[in-house]
Amino acid sequence: MNDEKSDEQVHIAENVATSSSDEQTQGNVAVHTAIPENNVCPPNVGDAQAFAEQTAETEKQIAQQQEQDQKLLAALDEVLEKQNLQNVRVSSTANRSKVGRLTGTVEKKGVGFVSLGLILVFMGIVMIVTLSASEPNYTIPLKLSPICAVLIGAEMLITYLLTHGRPRINIPSLVIAVLLVTGCCVLCSKLGGDYKEEITEHNNRTVAGEIYDKSYNELRNLADITSLKVDVDLNTHSDGKKKGMQAISAGDIVNISIELGGVYNAPENFAADCKKIIDGYRLMGINITNYHFKNESKFRSYALDVEGKYAQDFDISRLEDAVNYVYIDDYDYIEDMDDFIEATSETTSATVSD
């Protein structure tokens, strides 16, 4: 009996120990699962479960917040996209409305109205630049006038495309544009001719003055020169960049008229002084086109007209052959004779007519 009791007590004690060890193991497992990531262990099992529930709730709230943020961003993106689409539609509508208004204006006014405005602005700017230049080039408006035809042609093609092959021509605008361009070209041509003539005349006087001054310095000791006249006619087609004597070219004309003083007893002496002057111009490097020498006194008159380039190769004897001279014994008597001859010829003609 006692042995059975003791065995039963031992069996009960083993069961109690086993149950207590199982409970301790379960408690350890529960505690292990309840330990958070920060390794902070709650004091008991109940606190661990509360902490786990709180952590799960926090993670749930964070997930919900992230989901709401994503929905909000998606909604903002959708709103922005709709707004951009609306702006594009508005701009395209505005552009279409502008094109429509332009097309309507072109259809209403016709070809020539827009180009007339452009031509007015263009020709106005060209004329202002041309007239305000210090050395105006009046050929610029003439050279740029074809651009006006290009503007009219471009407007015609654009109108043809906008109106689908039904362009309308504005005759008054085209007529005004043509008259405007033609008037500007004619005005510039007239102003250009006057300006070129004025510049050429100024250059002629300038070159003549320079030749005169140089002739005085170089020839005053060669002969008894009482008067010297220089006549210069420069080539009107020269570029005008060179000034003064440097502007003289092969096509220019330079005539020299010289009156010699003193008394010459023979044509040979007169021809010798003329030869000195011709050689002087040759040494100065001035190409003279024609020479005209003369000497008049009460009883003698000498004259010599020679071409400049050929006269440079003439000697005194050949120049003497070209001298025209007159010996007058009584100059006053010859003047009276001229009057008498003139009166006699009038009387004779009157008698014949009667």
Side-chain angles (χ1 to χ4, degrees):
M1 292 285 298
N2 292 328
D3 293 333
E4 292 176 359
K5 267 183 175 183
S6 60
D7 293 333
E8 186 177 357
Q9 288 177 356
V10 170
H11 181 68
I12 291 170
E14 289 177 355
N15 291 333
V16 171
T18 303
S19 63
S20 63
S21 63
D22 293 334
E23 289 177 359
Q24 186 177 0
T25 302
Q26 291 177 359
N28 291 332
V29 173
V31 171
H32 178 70
T33 56
I35 294 175
E37 293 179 357
N38 53 6
N39 298 325
V40 178
C41 296
N44 50 37
V45 178
D47 295 336
Q49 292 178 353
F51 183 76
E53 293 176 356
Q54 185 178 2
T55 302
E57 185 67 22
T58 302
E59 292 178 353
K60 184 179 180 181
Q61 291 178 358
I62 292 173
Q64 291 177 354
Q65 185 68 32
Q66 290 178 353
E67 185 178 358
Q68 291 178 358
D69 292 340
Q70 290 178 357
K71 291 181 179 179
L72 181 60
L73 291 174
L76 288 174
D77 293 337
E78 185 178 358
V79 171
L80 291 175
E81 186 177 359
K82 290 181 179 179
Q83 188 174 1
N84 290 331
L85 290 175
Q86 186 176 3
N87 292 333
V88 170
R89 291 175 183 174
V90 171
S91 62
S92 62
T93 304
N95 292 331
R96 285 197 298 270
S97 62
K98 291 180 181 179
V99 173
R101 288 196 300 269
L102 179 61
T103 305
T105 303
V106 171
E107 290 179 353
K108 182 179 180 181
K109 299 294 184 180
V111 176
F113 183 77
V114 177
S115 59
L116 175 61
L118 296 176
I119 290 172
L120 285 171
V121 174
F122 173 72
M123 293 304 295
I125 294 174
V126 171
M127 293 297 292
I128 289 174
V129 173
T130 302
L131 296 176
S132 61
S134 58
E135 294 183 358
N137 184 5
Y138 291 100
T139 61
I140 292 178
L142 300 177
K143 294 177 180 178
L144 297 180
S145 58
I147 296 179
C148 300
V150 174
L151 293 176
I152 296 175
E155 183 187 4
M156 187 175 296
L157 292 177
I158 294 173
T159 305
Y160 181 84
L161 295 176
L162 293 177
T163 58
H164 303 288
R166 299 190 307 273
R168 178 186 175 188
I169 306 299
N170 193 334
I171 302 298
S173 297
L174 292 179
V175 171
I176 294 173
V178 172
L179 292 177
L180 175 65
V181 176
T182 304
C184 289
C185 293
V186 172
L187 177 62
C188 287
S189 178
K190 181 64 172 60
L191 292 176
D194 295 341
Y195 178 75
K196 191 172 184 179
E197 183 178 357
E198 180 182 356
I199 294 298
T200 302
E201 184 178 357
H202 176 74
N203 290 340
N204 291 341
R205 292 196 301 267
T206 302
V207 174
E210 291 184 4
I211 294 176
Y212 181 87
D213 293 338
K214 194 169 184 179
S215 300
Y216 175 78
N217 294 329
E218 299 293 335
L219 304 178
R220 60 182 177 176
N221 297 322
L222 296 179
D224 184 10
I225 299 176
T226 58
S227 68
L228 187 146
K229 182 180 178 182
V230 182
D231 185 15
V232 177
D233 185 10
L234 296 179
N235 185 8
T236 57
H237 297 286
S238 59
D239 55 3
K241 294 180 180 179
K242 297 180 179 179
K243 304 296 182 183
M245 294 177 59
Q246 295 180 354
I248 299 177
S249 61
D252 300 330
I253 298 175
V254 180
N255 296 323
I256 299 294
S257 298
I258 298 176
E259 184 174 354
L260 298 175
V263 178
Y264 293 95
N265 297 323
E268 182 181 0
N269 298 331
F270 179 75
D273 286 345
C274 294
K275 177 62 175 176
K276 294 178 183 179
I277 295 174
I278 293 173
D279 291 339
Y281 278 108
R282 179 176 59 82
L283 294 175
M284 285 187 287
I286 302 175
N287 295 323
I288 305 301
T289 307
N290 295 299
Y291 288 101
H292 176 68
F293 299 96
K294 71 176 181 176
N295 171 257
E296 291 184 355
S297 63
K298 191 172 182 65
F299 301 105
R300 289 176 176 82
S301 175
Y302 296 94
L304 175 61
D305 294 324
V306 290
E307 189 175 351
K309 293 181 180 180
Y310 289 97
Q312 294 178 1
D313 299 329
F314 290 174
D315 55 7
I316 296 177
S317 61
R318 191 168 181 179
L319 290 176
E320 181 183 357
D321 295 337
V323 173
N324 295 320
Y325 60 92
V326 176
Y327 294 149
I328 302 173
D329 294 333
D330 192 350
Y331 190 78
D332 295 333
Y333 174 75
I334 293 298
E335 287 183 348
D336 295 338
M337 285 297 294
D338 291 338
D339 295 339
F340 178 75
I341 292 171
E342 183 179 358
T344 303
S345 61
E346 291 178 357
T347 304
T348 305
S349 62
T351 303
V352 172
S353 63
D354 291 339

